[in-house]
Amino acid sequence: MEQEPCKYAEATSHNKEEHADDEERDPESNSLYQPLLKRNRTLSSSPLAMVGAKVSHIESLDYEINENDLFKQDWRSRSKVQVLQYIFMKWTLAFLVGLLTGLIATLINLAIENIAGYKFLAVVNYIEKERYLVGFIFFTGVNFLLTMVATVLCVRFAPTAAGPGIPEIKAYLNGVDTPNMFGATTLFVKIIGSIGAVSAGLDLGKEGPLVHIGSCIASLLGQGGPENHRVKWRWLRYFNNDRDLRDLITCGASSGVCAAFRAPVGGVLFSLEEVATWWRSALLWRTFFSSAVVVVVLRAFMEYCKSGNCGLFGGGGLIMFDVSDVSVSYHAVDIIPVAVIGVIGGVLGSLYNYLLHKVLRLYNLINEKGKIHKLILSLIVSLFTSACLYGLPFLASCTPCDPSLTDSVCPTSGRMGNFKQFNCPKGYYNDLATLLLTTNDDAVRNIFSTKTPTEFHTFSLIIFFGIYCILGLFTFGIAVPSGLFLPIILMGSAYGRMLGIAMGPYTNIDQGLYAVLGAASLMAGSMRMTVSLCVIFLELTNNLLLLPITMLVLLIAKTVGDCFNPSIYEIILDLKGLPFLDANPEPWMRNITVGELVDVKPAVVTLRGVEKVSRIVEVLHNTPHNGFPVVDDGLIPHVGLPDGATELLGLLLRTHLVLVLKKKWFLNERRRTEEWEVREKFAWVDMAERWGKTEEVAVTNEEMEMYVDLHPLINTTPYTVVESMSVAKALVLFRQVGLRHMLVLPKYQATGVSPVVGILTRQDLRAHNILSAFPHLERSKGSKKRH
């Protein structure tokens, strides 16, 4: 299986999978210490990965520009008006991505706030009448039904909608084709499922799903709609290629983060730092534009919702937190608790990653048993969550309201507020109910609240922290759309506030700001982001004075977390088996050359410039390769080349060979075609689409004896490296340029020597594949990353 072992269990994994089989998966023998997917021990293989509920064959994407004769002729023939139309369409699609993401995010927020709001109002009504059992049954039953709706939709219609979707987006932008991740059904289930799961009070957020929703919108717009109902508009077809779709999906991911946190610059930086492998200045402009459109939409609805007609718990859920009016002052002594928060965040973040890694393995064994088991697992988690949220506030003691507060502020009986009455008498409030028996967004607002030094007791914060640690571990991984941001924010804010209470006499920093720093530290310790998180929290709090200490906390937390294990998204990519290429090659990769890699692969399959149809059919049927070098021999050599030298014409993709067979572009004799003949049969946009499988093409015996001129379809400028180049250098080039194939050329030219000695693909450059073919490298110095 194409899955790199987890960094901290690498040696154990290699020993246990010596004879693993790609196709057979035995759940009974799959322990919590084995990878979810078994791996192939050969250097080059077709990778398998878990996408949704299925183990799928994974292919790479064609991000490289295919500079063949058709492409060159198309760009030569485009007028200035056509070029301007193409650019205008790019910006129009970026605008639509931002607009639709903003509207859907508003819809999700309003739906969650109102569904959850009416649920809590009914529960509070039962509690005021001291009908505690009826209130519990109602609360649990509503949550049970909402969870069931979200789970059934995911399990039955769109398994790829479960989870946050961010790891799969990272893999896609890295060059991995993740099937069914961006379809219309996935988008619909993600929206409805997010509303149901978050409204059910599960310990998950809508922030991660919003990133996936933005990416789905971008993909559907770029493709002209769903698979079976695409708009065939001529200019829209120019965006139906992997390269332009990649840019649009990057805009969608940025818009999703912006919609989640109302942080346009943070959304752009999140895409740059966390999800996107490829970046350039033009893409920066478009992602920023999409995020700006999202903010305009959200701000318009925030103004409209100020009247209180949108939601029951705070402006329709559109306002999470704002401390712009809080004066922040700190001294040198405050650096010590701030540094302590960073260290705690790094340690707890890495521990959370480790435990979640084990829980996800356990859930995989349960989910393998079928759809019913997935549904039962989700419903059990829902029942447990409801029992905790409703029952734990009874453990907290009632606190008398501050006499300086008005009766309308304390206690709060129904809607949003920091002083929920719950089971307390008039004039008292329950601080734990303030955090647990409310919406997740309102819980964030309450625990982040400033100028409330005596509101929360340490005992209540310990219970809140403990239960959200447990719920955070066991909720993520069930078959509902779920995000990691909100659970981590709630856990981090709890220990941040506790430290603020402990440091009360010795610091000038407000407890609510300690909660903000705690949330930032745990996010950095788990997700290992710095710059984007810093800007997100800056835009979220709307207070520049927090910037220095926030930067310090994030840097310390990330540094400490990196000492133990990878980020949570890297762990999920690992578990799913998605062949993600890391930015930094392993140190031992400098001890092996690309020539040595291709030597252990099967011999390269080449075609000629004018090839027989039977040879093309044979190659397509007998090889799984997606790219073939095209060479010609018997040419008059150039000056300095030996007699009998062959010429490398370029690289031809499998999908283009299938296109040739489908269009029956055959010749009766071996000859080169004229330019007009090519333009009569093909257009450049045909080159960007994928044309199905070889089995779908029927070729008669008479056609087998005919010929095809491949010259017009050949990518004449493929990326090539010399066989003496180190694998480390080749990996950096492969990842940064976004390649699918890399041709390896011989160091010396000689008579009878092929101009190409092999092809490297994504699978060939993955660390565990190389180590399986060259085990001595694993024992060499620096062969493992130590965490």
Side-chain angles (χ1 to χ4, degrees), residues 43-319:
L43 178 62
S44 181
S45 61
S46 181
L48 295 173
M50 292 183 66
V51 182
K54 296 182 179 179
V55 178
S56 306
H57 284 273
I58 299 295
E59 291 188 6
S60 295
L61 296 165
D62 297 306
Y63 287 155
E64 183 185 355
I65 293 178
N66 195 0
E67 291 187 346
N68 53 31
D69 291 347
L70 284 170
F71 174 83
K72 295 172 184 175
Q73 192 277 333
D74 176 76
W75 278 99
R76 284 196 304 266
S77 63
R78 287 193 187 185
S79 64
K80 288 184 179 180
V81 174
Q82 290 175 317
V83 173
L84 287 174
Q85 284 178 329
Y86 177 68
I87 296 172
F88 176 75
M89 278 297 300
K90 279 188 175 182
W91 287 94
T92 301
L93 290 176
F95 170 79
L96 291 175
V97 167
L99 177 65
L100 293 176
T101 304
L103 291 174
I104 290 177
T106 303
L107 168 68
I108 291 174
N109 280 317
L110 295 180
I112 290 173
E113 285 293 314
N114 285 284
I115 293 173
Y118 283 112
K119 175 186 70 177
F120 283 119
L121 286 179
V123 171
V124 167
N125 185 49
Y126 285 121
I127 292 174
E128 286 178 348
K129 297 177 182 177
E130 297 186 358
R131 301 173 64 185
Y132 298 120
L133 182 59
V134 177
F136 173 70
I137 293 173
F138 175 82
F139 182 71
T140 305
V142 172
N143 290 344
F144 187 89
L145 291 176
L146 290 171
T147 304
M148 178 181 289
V149 170
T151 306
V152 169
L153 284 175
C154 281
V155 171
R156 177 65 181 86
F157 298 102
T160 51
I166 294 178
E168 289 84 353
I169 295 170
K170 281 190 66 167
Y172 183 91
L173 297 178
N174 190 253
V176 180
D177 185 14
T178 48
N180 304 317
M181 275 304 298
F182 305 112
T185 306
T186 302
L187 173 62
F188 175 78
V189 172
K190 199 81 176 185
I191 295 171
I192 305 301
S194 295
I195 294 172
V198 179
S199 300
L202 296 175
D203 185 20
L204 44 84
K206 57 185 178 294
E207 291 77 15
L210 276 174
V211 179
H212 191 186
I213 287 169
S215 301
C216 288
I217 292 170
S219 177
L220 290 170
L221 286 174
Q223 296 178 14
E227 187 74 30
N228 300 327
H229 304 90
R230 288 186 179 177
V231 177
K232 298 297 184 180
W233 189 37
R234 176 172 172 264
W235 278 104
L236 204 55
R237 289 189 69 195
Y238 282 101
F239 295 92
N240 192 20
N241 62 81
D242 295 336
R243 191 181 183 86
D244 283 318
L245 275 180
R246 172 187 64 188
D247 291 353
L248 270 176
I249 287 175
T250 305
C251 291
S254 174
S255 300
V257 176
C258 176
F261 295 103
R262 274 67 74 192
V265 180
V268 174
L269 291 176
F270 177 83
S271 294
L272 172 60
E273 181 180 8
E274 184 62 23
V275 297
T277 299
W278 169 268
W279 201 265
R280 62 185 189 281
S281 59
L283 182 58
L284 179 69
W285 276 88
R286 282 203 297 278
T287 54
F288 186 70
F289 176 62
S290 294
S291 299
V293 174
V294 174
V295 167
V296 170
V297 173
L298 292 178
R299 288 292 173 186
F301 277 97
M302 286 170 67
E303 290 297 322
Y304 173 75
C305 291
K306 278 185 177 179
S307 59
N309 296 323
C310 293
L312 300 175
F313 281 80
L318 297 170
I319 303 173

Side-chain angles (χ1 to χ4, degrees), residues 522-740:
L522 192 59
M523 289 184 74
S526 177
M527 300 180 180
R528 310 295 156 77
M529 296 184 293
T530 52
V531 180
S532 58
L533 267 186
C534 185
V535 176
I536 286 173
F537 272 89
L538 183 66
E539 294 181 287
L540 191 63
T541 58
N542 201 19
N543 197 322
L544 269 173
L545 296 174
L546 278 174
L547 180 61
I549 53 177
T550 304
M551 292 172 65
L552 179 62
V553 162
L554 293 173
L555 287 171
I556 293 174
K558 183 186 185 303
T559 303
V560 173
D562 283 337
C563 295
F564 295 99
N565 52 26
S567 75
I568 186 62
Y569 292 133
E570 289 182 42
I571 289 175
I572 296 173
L573 283 168
D574 222 18
L575 292 174
K576 287 179 171 290
L578 293 166
F580 185 86
L581 290 183
D582 292 321
N584 301 313
E586 302 282 356
W588 50 261
M589 287 184 176
R590 302 203 177 275
N591 301 330
I592 184 173
T593 65
V594 293
E596 293 174 273
L597 275 189
V598 296
D599 282 344
V600 299
K601 292 185 63 177
V604 64
V605 177
T606 61
L607 298 171
R608 288 178 293 181
V610 180
E611 190 59 87
K612 204 169 185 179
V613 174
S614 58
R615 167 67 175 163
I616 294 175
V617 172
E618 177 193 356
V619 166
L620 292 178
H621 277 292
N622 296 333
T623 65
H625 305 156
N626 284 289
F628 304 94
V630 182
V631 299
D632 266 347
D633 50 10
L635 303 174
I636 301 174
H638 297 291
V639 177
L641 291 179
D643 291 337
T646 54
E647 177 187 4
L648 174 62
L649 299 178
L651 184 73
L652 191 61
L653 296 179
R654 183 185 195 91
T655 183
H656 295 166
L657 290 174
V658 175
L659 173 62
V660 165
L661 297 181
K662 280 196 170 185
K663 286 185 173 286
K664 305 287 185 180
W665 195 51
F666 304 145
L667 303 172
N668 290 319
E669 68 276 355
R670 185 189 295 270
R671 68 175 178 86
R672 293 286 299 270
T673 53
E674 299 293 335
E675 187 176 305
W676 64 268
E677 293 180 273
V678 181
R679 291 202 309 269
E680 196 175 66
K681 197 74 173 178
F682 298 102
W684 178 77
V685 288
D686 295 333
M687 301 292 102
E689 298 181 9
R690 299 195 175 184
W691 290 91
K693 300 179 181 179
T694 314
E695 293 76 14
E696 299 171 0
V697 182
V699 182
T700 65
N701 292 333
E702 182 180 346
E703 291 170 338
M704 287 284 195
E705 301 303 316
M706 302 175 77
Y707 296 90
V708 177
D709 179 20
L710 300 177
H711 289 87
L713 310 179
I714 298 171
N715 179 10
T716 56
T717 57
Y719 281 88
T720 61
V721 296
V722 182
E723 59 182 341
S724 56
M725 178 182 284
S726 70
V727 171
K729 200 171 182 179
L731 174 60
V732 172
L733 173 64
F734 194 98
R735 185 183 188 275
Q736 289 184 346
V737 181
L739 301 181
R740 185 176 186 178

